[in-house]
Amino acid sequence: MYDTSGAGISLMLDDPQDLRAAVAAYRAAATGAGLAWPADPGEALDSLGFAIGTPFPWRQQVPLFRFDLILFTFVLGAGHEGEVWRYEFTPDAWDTVRAADSVASLFTTWASAITAGLISRDALNGWLQVGEPRDADPLAFPPSVTHYPLLRQRQRECGVDLDCIDRGFDCHEELFSEIDAARSALGV
């Protein structure tokens, strides 16, 4: 089994201006390292279009980083503040789920995986490869989730609206309509 409780690790929520500055600094570092980052506010809003069924409003999260088809966000919503959630960008995949209790626990899990040799670069193409995590939480890593009993269990535990997940496309379209309205109001 794996422990994702984050025991002994805490994340303090910062003043909104400090958080914006930290996000801007992370964005600069991520972009400099070649990690995908939404290039404009409209793209960032579109990225949140896969946040269906979350137990907090879609607007109460900040995209942190993206690995291929997986987006990780930092949640500001009450009851889930400080958590990291993941979304998969694939058709008919409604896999919104908490990836970690905090940014610190996520990075601790990743650091342990690197030390254990689970994360490495492919010699042929230089892409990051993630092995099969045996003693770590597989939902903390960027590969697609294929173990659906674990995914559904975690979704239930963290309050995902599974009825919304079951409605899939319809719920996704409703969320995109809300995002389009926000984009229009913001002029992006």
Side-chain angles (χ1 to χ4, degrees), residues 67-68 113-114 117-133 141-143:
F67 293 96
D68 293 326
I114 291 168
L118 285 174
I119 299 176
S120 60
R121 288 210 178 269
D122 183 282
L124 296 176
N125 59 25
W127 294 353
L128 284 179
Q129 304 293 311
V130 179
E132 187 65 34
F141 297 94

Side-chain angles (χ1 to χ4, degrees), residues 81-180:
E81 56 197 2
E83 294 178 352
V84 177
W85 281 59
R86 61 174 273 157
Y87 307 97
E88 188 166 344
F89 290 82
T90 56
D92 303 325
W94 319 113
D95 298 337
T96 181
V97 70
R98 184 186 65 230
D101 292 334
S102 69
V103 174
S105 67
L106 180 72
F107 286 137
T108 299
T109 299
W110 286 1
S112 296
I114 291 168
T115 302
L118 285 174
I119 299 176
S120 60
R121 288 210 178 269
D122 183 282
L124 296 176
N125 59 25
W127 294 353
L128 284 179
Q129 304 293 311
V130 179
E132 187 65 34
R134 287 174 177 62
D135 297 325
D137 181 0
L139 297 174
F141 297 94
S144 293
V145 177
T146 57
H147 183 42
Y148 282 98
L150 172 64
L151 173 66
R152 296 298 180 243
Q153 175 188 344
R154 174 72 61 79
Q155 287 176 318
R156 276 190 292 281
E157 289 170 1
C158 52
V160 170
D161 181 351
L162 293 176
D163 289 335
C164 185
I165 299 296
D166 288 342
R167 289 189 297 125
F169 182 78
D170 293 336
C171 198
H172 190 203
E173 287 297 308
E174 290 168 16
L175 182 55
F176 265 132
S177 294
E178 289 179 34
I179 290 170
D180 284 344

Side-chain angles (χ1 to χ4, degrees), residues 68-88:
D68 293 326
L69 300 175
I70 307 292
L71 173 72
F72 287 84
T73 66
F74 178 78
V75 179
L76 301 169
H80 295 275
E81 56 197 2
E83 294 178 352
V84 177
W85 281 59
R86 61 174 273 157
Y87 307 97
E88 188 166 344

Side-chain angles (χ1 to χ4, degrees), residues 49-67:
F50 286 86
I52 69 169
T54 56
F56 46 84
W58 65 270
R59 293 178 186 218
Q60 295 182 357
Q61 56 190 315
V62 177
L64 286 175
F65 38 80
R66 189 171 136 193
F67 293 96

Side-chain angles (χ1 to χ4, degrees), residues 38-56:
D40 62 66
E43 188 178 343
L45 289 172
D46 287 344
S47 296
L48 295 174
F50 286 86
I52 69 169
T54 56
F56 46 84

